[in-house]
Amino acid sequence: MNLKIVNEIFSYGLFGIGALKIIFTILVFLQIFTNVNAVFNGGNVIDYGYYSTFSVMIGGAQVILAVGSIIMIMLNMKRQPAVIPGYLWGLGAILIEFIIPSSLYIFVLFAECGMYMRAGYKIRNKNEIYKSEFKSKTSKKIIKNTEWFYGDNNDRNEQTDIKTQKRREKLEKELEEWKQLLDSGEIDEETYHQETSRLIEKERKKSERGI
């Protein structure tokens, strides 16, 4: 899968965990208040069974994201180092649960949730900047590599014939198809550059031979 897409998934995952923990905490407090009120008014206390299940699910998701974050830090070291601080914020958030005693955890809970949400925001923000820069560089590279096609043919013949026009349209279509494969994550950047360069070079040789 494309690294940019995986970073995007992790950004939403980390942000989502932070938001879910805030919502879960608020619901627990409301339930406690309801039960205390019920005790004083002689009502029935509501069981917390499904809350514990939900808590276990959130804890499992945190562990998965923590392990995944470590892996993503290693994968991004060379290709997208700008997103690494975001993953470190996420790891810092889960470390709070191991460092802070249970009796004091309630006081740092919202800070932990904020760290998760900040982690997701930082990863997504840097990932978007990287995608924008990459698209810009890719477009400039394609334009530079295909200048010969437009320039040389126009110099030789001001009125481009039908055959040349069809070749040009075919080249543009194939380049766009490779770009779509890259954007969808079906191929990586290295494959994209190799295949587009091969395609452009093939078309260049045909043009030089007058085919």
Side-chain angles (χ1 to χ4, degrees):
M1 187 180 288
N2 192 289
L3 186 61
K4 294 188 292 296
I5 295 176
V6 178
N7 282 328
E8 194 85 2
I9 292 171
F10 268 88
S11 71
Y12 285 115
L14 289 166
F15 189 93
I17 282 293
L20 278 174
K21 290 199 74 169
I22 290 175
I23 295 171
F24 178 68
T25 302
I26 293 172
L27 290 174
V28 170
F29 278 132
L30 288 174
Q31 193 62 65
I32 291 173
F33 177 79
T34 301
N35 282 343
V36 170
N37 189 52
V39 169
F40 282 107
N41 289 284
N44 295 323
V45 176
I46 300 174
D47 183 30
Y48 287 91
Y50 65 94
Y51 280 104
S52 60
T53 302
F54 192 43
S55 179
V56 170
M57 290 173 63
I58 291 178
Q62 286 180 267
V63 172
I64 293 172
L65 285 172
V67 174
S69 292
I70 295 172
I71 296 172
M72 291 305 293
I73 287 173
M74 292 186 289
L75 292 176
N76 281 288
M77 279 184 178
K78 291 184 178 180
R79 296 174 64 181
Q80 290 180 246
V83 302
I84 291 177
Y87 287 107
L88 293 176
W89 273 87
L91 290 174
I94 196 170
L95 281 176
I96 287 178
E97 296 193 25
F98 295 99
I99 296 173
I100 303 298
S102 300
S103 57
L104 299 175
Y105 179 64
I106 189 64
F107 298 105
V108 296
L109 175 60
F110 287 100
E112 177 195 352
C113 295
M115 289 177 69
Y116 271 123
M117 295 172 78
R118 183 172 178 79
Y121 172 78
K122 287 176 74 69
I123 292 171
R124 188 173 187 278
N125 186 45
K126 295 298 182 181
N127 197 46
E128 285 296 324
I129 292 173
Y130 174 81
K131 286 197 290 186
S132 298
E133 290 177 348
F134 174 73
K135 286 180 179 179
S136 177
K137 290 177 181 178
T138 299
S139 298
K140 289 179 180 178
K141 185 173 181 180
I142 292 296
I143 291 170
K144 185 177 180 181
N145 287 343
T146 54
E147 280 178 352
W148 59 270
F149 190 98
Y150 297 96
D152 291 351
N153 279 296
N154 287 336
D155 290 341
R156 288 195 299 264
N157 185 4
E158 292 183 0
Q159 294 183 340
T160 307
D161 58 25
I162 297 175
K163 182 180 178 181
T164 303
Q165 182 64 30
K166 286 183 177 180
R167 283 177 53 205
R168 180 183 299 174
E169 291 174 355
K170 181 182 177 183
L171 176 61
E172 290 175 348
K173 182 181 178 182
E174 291 179 338
L175 291 173
E176 180 59 29
E177 287 174 351
W178 283 110
K179 184 66 170 60
Q180 289 174 0
L181 289 174
L182 175 66
D183 291 340
S184 66
E186 294 182 45
I187 60 172
D188 57 23
E189 294 161 22
E190 185 178 353
T191 302
Y192 171 75
H193 287 306
Q194 287 177 350
E195 293 299 327
T196 53
S197 296
R198 179 188 61 78
L199 184 63
I200 291 170
E201 185 60 27
K202 179 181 177 181
E203 205 54 52
R204 187 203 301 271
K205 289 180 180 178
K206 284 184 177 181
S207 178
E208 290 174 351
R209 294 197 300 266
I211 297 176

